[in-house]
Amino acid sequence: MSAQPPASVPPENPRPPDRAVYEPARSTSTVPRPGSDFAQLSKRIVAAGLMRRRTGYYTLRITLVIVLYAVGWAVFLLLGESWWSLAVAGYLALVFGQVALVAHDVAHRQVFRRRRASERVGRLAGNLGIGMGYGWWQDKHTRHHAHPNHEELDPDVTPDLLVWNQAQARSARGLTRLIGRTQAFLFLPLLALEGFNLHVSGVRALRNRAVKRRGLEGSLLFAHFGLYLTALFLVLPPVLALTFIAVHQCLFGLYLGSIFAPNHKGMPMMRGEERPDFLRRQVLTSRNVCGGWFTDIALGGLNHQIEHHLFPSMPSPQLRKAQPMVRQYCAEMGVDYLETGLIASYRQALRSLHHAGAPLRTDRSR
């Protein structure tokens, strides 16, 4: 969405050796314009047929996820009162992650053309399937896509328990200030709480009148909680049931965090009126993760994060095909395109978190 290379990084946010952080070019453009850099890329992508629906793929994928979900609970019931049920908890954590990825693709209209069908399946997968408030999450995720890594506009980088740059660290208070000092070391343990956070946030959002169809959202959410807890405490003794919940939800949160954390953490942060054009806003704040078919399955195609942010309604199996075209186009435009391995992506993200918390380690007076 123009072809100016990224500016240098300000002194408080130095560029790591592996180029994990950039500062994007400034621009007042917020949407794609006819004839813009993004429009030219979009024409190439559409001409290649990469925006077409993949009905067969999603039919197979959703069917497989449903079968895996059912098999997990069936094995749980067959095992009964057994510590082997904790292995089922680990298995179901992975399956819940795959259900979340299906809900993600549905929300982006990758599966169904019609909004109503997308919302119905999304709520069944999110609210009833895994206890995630679909309406709350969709609203948050839409705002993230519109303004990735923007301090005031992206809810994913709003300081909560963590701070994402040194400016946020200097104004941090309370628990955020305490955690921020060692947040790079606490990041992965905190991800284990993400499953619980999804449940709590979904329930809290039911008080928000902006959430559509709150009655249905709440009914499906509490139906999930009721069925989940009833099954656990009917089959398992209390101590084992609580242990199952801890293992299942913590591994689920860790898996979700493993999917989403490599995509933007440690990438450029924007603030105020800093609004580069659409192409640069999406490319410069996103990071791709290298890998083969297994990486695509494990991360739900979101390892091609740059392509996903540029074309959020593109079916996930098409993202790998689009990647060479997007990478080549960015080279033509002089736009930095970052692609790294999974371990390197975490290293970059953790290094950025450690750097962001530096003011809290040097000022312990408050």
Side-chain angles (χ1 to χ4, degrees):
M1 330 206 8
S2 5
Q4 181 180 346
S8 58
V9 180
E12 94 162 22
N13 192 18
R15 178 180 297 178
D18 50 10
R19 300 167 60 240
V21 179
Y22 314 94
E23 180 170 300
R26 295 175 180 267
S27 170
T28 58
S29 174
T30 59
V31 297
R33 306 180 309 277
S36 68
D37 290 342
F38 174 76
Q40 298 303 316
L41 173 61
S42 182
K43 289 178 182 178
R44 298 186 189 184
I45 293 293
V46 172
L50 297 179
M51 299 302 295
R52 294 174 185 162
R53 304 285 170 177
R54 292 290 301 273
T55 305
Y57 165 83
Y58 277 111
T59 300
L60 177 61
R61 178 177 167 186
I62 292 173
T63 300
L64 182 59
V65 169
I66 292 173
V67 169
L68 294 174
Y69 189 97
V71 166
W73 286 113
V75 172
F76 168 80
L77 294 174
L78 289 172
L79 283 174
E81 185 179 334
S82 169
W83 285 96
W84 281 105
S85 63
L86 298 185
V88 178
Y91 166 85
L92 283 173
L94 298 177
V95 174
F96 269 43
Q98 288 295 314
V99 174
L101 289 170
V102 167
H104 171 272
D105 286 9
V106 167
H108 279 295
R109 306 276 188 92
Q110 297 176 18
V111 184
F112 305 103
R113 293 185 182 277
R114 295 186 179 275
R115 177 180 59 83
R116 182 171 296 180
S118 298
E119 289 183 352
R120 285 176 177 172
V121 175
R123 286 193 176 97
L124 286 174
N127 294 57
L128 185 60
I130 60 176
M132 177 188 75
Y134 178 78
W136 158 79
W137 174 83
Q138 186 182 40
D139 173 72
K140 182 175 80 75
H141 195 63
T142 298
R143 288 184 283 131
H144 159 71
H145 265 266
H147 302 282
N149 275 20
H150 192 288
E151 285 186 32
E152 293 89 25
L153 301 176
D154 182 358
D156 287 352
V157 293
T158 300
D160 187 3
L161 287 179
L162 303 176
V163 294
W164 305 105
N165 60 29
Q166 293 190 357
Q168 291 181 348
R170 294 187 185 100
S171 60
R173 295 293 182 273
L175 185 60
T176 303
R177 186 173 186 84
L178 178 64
I179 290 178
R181 294 170 181 167
T182 55
Q183 62 182 14
F185 301 97
L186 297 175
F187 182 61
L188 290 179
L190 287 172
L191 284 184
L193 302 177
E194 184 59 25
F196 295 105
N197 178 56
L198 284 178
H199 304 321
V200 173
S201 297
V203 172
R204 291 176 61 185
L206 295 175
R207 297 178 297 179
N208 185 352
R209 294 182 180 274
V211 174
K212 298 178 181 179
R213 309 200 65 180
R214 288 184 296 161
L216 179 59
E217 288 263 324
S219 298
L220 292 174
L221 266 180
F222 286 107
H224 169 84
F225 299 145
L227 291 170
Y228 181 83
L229 294 175
T230 299
L232 293 186
F233 284 97
L234 278 180
V235 174
L236 304 177
V239 172
L240 185 52
L242 291 173
T243 306
F244 184 102
I245 293 172
V247 171
H248 177 220
Q249 296 298 329
C250 288
L251 290 179
F252 172 47
L254 195 58
Y255 181 35
L256 278 185
S258 300
I259 293 171
F260 290 99
N263 301 335
H264 301 281
K265 307 311 178 191
M267 298 302 289
M269 296 282 290
M270 292 178 283
R271 61 177 67 93
E273 296 302 315
E274 196 173 9
R275 308 283 175 82
D277 64 286
F278 182 80
L279 178 73
R280 287 159 184 77
R281 184 162 75 243
Q282 304 300 339
V283 175
L284 295 174
T285 59
S286 302
R287 175 196 294 112
N288 275 15
V289 176
C290 304
W293 63 268
F294 179 79
T295 305
D296 283 0
I297 293 174
L299 303 186
L302 296 181
N303 44 310
H304 307 292
Q305 187 69 192
I306 293 173
E307 289 71 30
H308 171 61
H309 260 256
L310 289 171
F311 303 97
S313 62
M314 178 184 289
S316 57
Q318 306 283 57
L319 295 171
R320 176 173 289 276
K321 299 176 183 178
Q323 184 182 19
M325 297 176 63
V326 174
R327 184 171 52 211
Q328 178 182 347
Y329 187 80
C330 287
E332 294 172 10
M333 294 294 102
V335 177
D336 283 327
Y337 180 105
L338 182 60
E339 184 178 19
T340 186
L342 183 62
I343 301 303
S345 71
Y346 279 109
R347 185 167 59 246
Q348 293 168 7
L350 293 174
R351 183 186 301 124
S352 174
L353 282 170
H354 187 69
H355 177 74
L360 301 177
R361 294 189 295 275
T362 57
D363 180 13
R364 294 177 176 269
S365 61
R366 290 186 291 172

